[in-house]
Amino acid sequence: MVESTLFTPWQSLIGGSLIGSAAVLLMWSMGRIAGISGIVAGALSERGEERTWRLSFLAGLFLGAILAAYFSGALVGVQSVASTPVLLVAGLLVGFGTRMGGGCTSGHGVCGISRFSLRSIVATVIFMASGAVTVFIVRHLMGEGV
């Protein structure tokens, strides 16, 4: 199994730069915040041109990730450690959490913090603390994982 916590400074720098650039480009070109949960929600509810740009953005996310993984060989030897039902429940919980938090880490963490939004800073701190507590519980108290 491939350890997913390896330190990869160059890949991280490139990935972070691409995410930031996409967020700036979307804000500059359309005046929109690159919050993925909001983009997904709008893609499901909006019509016309509003829906088109959202679906295009989401398609770019998926295609970009697939192409990057394919050409870099990043997924060679990677296998899921969770079953499909667990992954589905986890996805639903993440979706529920983004609704409760009024957005996701891309909207709050990338776009909100860069705009010095206090609401986004608080939300991101809560997201990160919740993730750290969850990892601690699962790995150390429940004895799962590495």
Side-chain angles (χ1 to χ4, degrees):
M1 180 181 303
V2 176
E3 178 61 50
S4 63
T5 58
L6 297 175
F7 181 58
T8 57
W10 293 112
Q11 292 92 331
S12 302
L13 179 65
I14 292 167
S17 297
L18 288 171
I19 291 169
S21 297
V24 168
L25 184 60
L26 186 62
M27 178 63 83
W28 176 72
S29 66
M30 301 192 70
R32 304 294 182 146
I33 294 174
I36 304 307
S37 62
I39 292 173
V40 170
L44 297 173
S45 64
E46 299 289 339
R47 297 285 177 248
E49 193 173 306
E50 186 67 21
R51 184 179 206 184
T52 301
W53 79 260
R54 292 169 186 270
L55 291 173
S56 298
F57 191 94
L58 294 171
L61 282 178
F62 282 104
L63 289 174
I66 289 167
L67 291 173
Y70 177 77
F71 286 113
S72 71
L75 296 180
V76 174
V78 175
Q79 61 189 90
S80 178
V81 295
S83 66
T84 301
V86 168
L87 293 174
L88 290 173
V89 169
L92 290 172
L93 288 172
V94 168
F96 180 71
T98 60
R99 294 304 268 174
M100 284 182 60
C104 58
T105 52
S106 56
H108 285 301
V110 175
C111 301
I113 290 176
S114 65
R115 293 184 352 245
F116 302 109
S117 165
L118 181 59
R119 176 177 173 255
S120 291
I121 292 168
V122 170
T124 304
V125 168
I126 292 171
F127 294 157
M128 299 304 289
S130 298
V133 169
T134 300
V135 168
F136 179 81
I137 290 169
V138 169
R139 288 192 171 183
H140 300 290
L141 300 182
M142 296 172 63
E144 300 291 324
V146 184

